Amino acid sequence: MANVEGGGYIVQRDKSKPKSKCRKWELRVPTGLDPRTGKYKTKSRRFNGTYTEAKKALREFVDEIEHDSVQGRTCYTFEEYCERFLERRALGKEVAETTQKRQRWQFKAACRHIGKANLASITPAMLDDMYIAMLKGDTLSGKPSSGSYVNQIHDNITLVFEQAKKEGILVKNPCDAANPPKMDTKEKRALNPDRAHVFIAMLDEKDDRECAYLLAITMGLRRGEICGLSWGDIDFERGIVDISHSYDTLGNLKETKTKAGMRLLPLPESVAEALKEHKRAQKERYDRTNQWRKPHEGYIEQADESPVISDNTGSRVLPSSLSRWWTEDRVKYGLEGWCLHELRHTYLTMLALSGVHPKVMQELAGHYSSQITMDIYTHVNMDAKRDAVAAVSKAFA
């Protein structure tokens, strides 16, 4: 289905007869530019009958095509309005730079299919066709998209159409009647306590990579929080770690995304000793590096603002680099296929298994919503209940 431009027209198929005697017609309805190619397209249908009957059939054909069309008219194509949307949000500093980057890429993925379409001509059916095409592999990468990723694209283009409604450009949002695929993200796993203990024992805290993994599983820190952690954030005397910064994929050290993310965490004694050992090893590495560095290159110093996890030049590590490290290393720990975030999930699961109150869990995790924490707590608590019931049932058997 598409939005109709004009009322359509009738073409006489039997040229050998006068109009009054002709009974063969073709109904043609222009539907605007093809959203992908930018070329004009037309829907047509053959009809047998009188010219008067053909005119009635044309009106019905037009109504049929416009059944699910978006009301309103605008000079913007979807591609142009997405750019306007991003520019307005950037000027208003409504979202973080990393969020803008992610939205820009998702809009680009959508523009591959509907970019040339007039904003007002986009229908729910067109969106559904786009979602199906993406799931089948008609994407920028040429690989099938997951349902979760397509669902994210749906959520973001919904914001675009909602903004157009606020501006009076559209009167309804086609996303409201579209059918995006369901989220199909795999449920996060957690190492059981014994396996977690073995994994931790395998880690060498002197190594930056392995120290990062240690922080993920023993303190539940996120990638950006690990990369944004500085030595000044750690108070060894009081046994406290101040989580107040995050390092993003663009190399910006900034405050955590939400206020809930800013938190003071108790520093376990075993982790404190590991971090002290890491700090000594890092200082020795810097000293060795400084021996061959030239004065104009500058010397690497270990100060309060220095990163806890750094590369060979003493610089902070990007979250994407941390993920790459994990992908390279996880096989030697027997964790092939496990993602880095599942180390954090293991930490939270261990808290739940230990009977920690959900509210305390929420504060330790830095969750914005208690629902996220409750999902983990309920899942673990239900497993414990099942084990208890199974034990009783076995006794009765």
Side-chain angles (χ1 to χ4, degrees):
M1 294 199 174
N3 201 35
V4 173
E5 293 194 353
Y9 55 95
I10 302 171
V11 176
Q12 185 175 338
R13 290 172 53 216
D14 190 349
K15 304 291 185 180
S16 63
K17 296 181 180 180
K19 192 173 184 179
S20 59
K21 299 291 183 180
C22 181
R23 297 294 182 269
K24 295 181 179 180
W25 313 93
E26 184 170 314
L27 314 178
R28 295 181 181 177
V29 180
T31 56
L33 290 174
D34 185 290
R36 185 161 182 173
T37 64
K39 297 180 180 179
Y40 284 94
K41 58 179 183 177
T42 301
K43 286 187 176 290
S44 62
R45 174 181 293 173
R46 292 191 175 189
F47 177 80
N48 294 332
T50 65
Y51 181 70
T52 300
E53 292 171 337
K55 288 195 293 183
K56 181 181 178 182
L58 177 63
R59 289 194 295 271
E60 293 174 350
F61 187 30
V62 169
D63 289 341
E64 190 178 317
I65 294 172
E66 286 193 319
H67 182 66
D68 65 354
S69 63
V70 176
Q71 299 179 44
R73 292 291 185 273
T74 175
C75 61
Y76 288 109
T77 63
F78 177 78
E79 191 173 44
E80 292 168 341
Y81 194 78
C82 281
E83 190 59 40
R84 171 187 167 91
F85 176 86
L86 289 169
E87 184 179 5
R88 185 184 64 80
R89 297 196 101 187
L91 291 173
K93 297 182 179 179
E94 296 179 25
V95 293
E97 193 176 355
T98 50
T99 301
Q100 292 179 42
K101 184 179 179 181
R102 183 172 63 252
Q103 286 183 331
R104 181 175 293 280
W105 185 254
Q106 292 183 352
F107 291 159
K108 186 177 180 180
C111 286
R112 172 181 170 84
H113 297 268
I114 58 173
K116 303 300 181 183
N118 185 282
L119 190 67
S121 72
I122 296 173
T123 66
M126 288 169 65
L127 297 179
D128 288 346
D129 288 343
M130 176 178 72
Y131 301 149
I132 292 170
M134 288 178 170
L135 293 173
K136 288 182 176 180
D138 190 354
T139 60
L140 296 172
S141 66
K143 299 178 181 178
S145 292
S146 67
S148 297
Y149 184 66
V150 176
N151 198 283
Q152 289 175 18
I153 291 176
H154 170 79
D155 288 344
N156 277 296
I157 65 175
T158 296
L159 298 177
V160 171
F161 286 109
E162 282 301 311
Q163 181 59 36
K165 279 179 61 179
K166 287 182 180 179
E167 293 185 22
I169 295 174
L170 302 180
V171 296
K172 61 182 180 180
N173 187 336
C175 292
D176 293 341
N179 299 287
K182 294 181 179 180
M183 301 287 282
D184 55 7
T185 303
K186 293 181 180 179
E187 186 176 343
K188 290 290 185 292
R189 299 168 292 181
L191 298 174
N192 63 48
D194 290 339
R195 196 174 181 188
H197 180 75
V198 170
F199 170 69
I200 292 171
M202 294 175 68
L203 298 175
D204 179 3
E205 65 273 8
K206 296 178 183 178
D207 183 85
D208 282 87
R209 296 187 182 206
E210 302 191 31
C211 186
Y213 310 152
L214 183 70
L215 291 171
I217 196 169
T218 60
M219 299 195 69
L221 301 190
R222 302 176 176 93
R223 287 187 319 164
E225 293 169 349
I226 294 172
C227 297
L229 192 65
S230 301
W231 286 116
D233 297 327
I234 303 173
D235 188 334
F236 288 108
E237 289 185 8
R238 296 168 59 203
I240 293 175
V241 178
D242 181 4
I243 305 299
S244 55
H245 293 92
S246 182
Y247 198 55
D248 67 23
T249 55
L250 300 178
N252 299 313
L253 183 63
K254 56 186 182 181
E255 291 186 350
T256 55
K257 190 173 183 179
T258 64
K259 289 184 178 180
M262 301 181 70
R263 58 203 190 277
L264 294 176
L265 298 179
L267 180 62
E269 186 176 343
S270 60
V271 180
E273 291 304 314
L275 286 172
K276 288 177 182 178
E277 185 62 30
H278 175 68
K279 189 174 185 180
R280 284 193 291 269
Q282 186 185 74
K283 178 65 167 59
E284 291 174 1
R285 189 176 80 241
Y286 289 173
D287 290 342
R288 288 194 302 270
T289 302
N290 286 333
Q291 290 178 5
W292 54 263
R293 286 177 72 91
K294 298 177 181 178
H296 71 274
E297 294 177 316
Y299 295 106
I300 308 172
E301 296 183 2
Q302 191 183 68
D304 283 349
E305 63 272 15
S306 300
V308 172
I309 306 300
S310 67
D311 61 17
N312 291 330
T313 65
S315 301
R316 290 190 188 277
V317 176
L318 292 173
S320 56
S321 297
L322 187 55
S323 293
R324 189 182 70 253
W325 285 355
W326 173 251
T327 302
E328 294 170 354
D329 295 341
R330 60 189 176 184
V331 178
K332 68 182 181 182
Y333 304 122
L335 297 175
E336 175 66 29
W338 287 67
C339 69
L340 182 62
H341 192 76
E342 286 173 320
L343 298 183
R344 167 177 159 85
H345 189 68
T346 295
Y347 168 76
L348 298 178
T349 301
M350 297 278 278
L351 290 178
L353 284 171
S354 301
V356 176
H357 192 280
K359 183 61 179 176
V360 177
M361 281 179 59
Q362 181 184 351
E363 293 177 358
L364 290 173
H367 283 154
Y368 173 74
S369 168
S370 60
Q371 186 59 49
I372 302 173
T373 313
M374 285 303 300
D375 287 345
I376 299 168
Y377 180 83
T378 303
H379 171 71
V380 173
N381 197 34
M382 184 55 67
D383 285 346
K385 289 178 180 178
R386 286 195 180 98
D387 290 341
V389 170
V392 173
S393 298
K394 187 176 181 181
F396 288 154

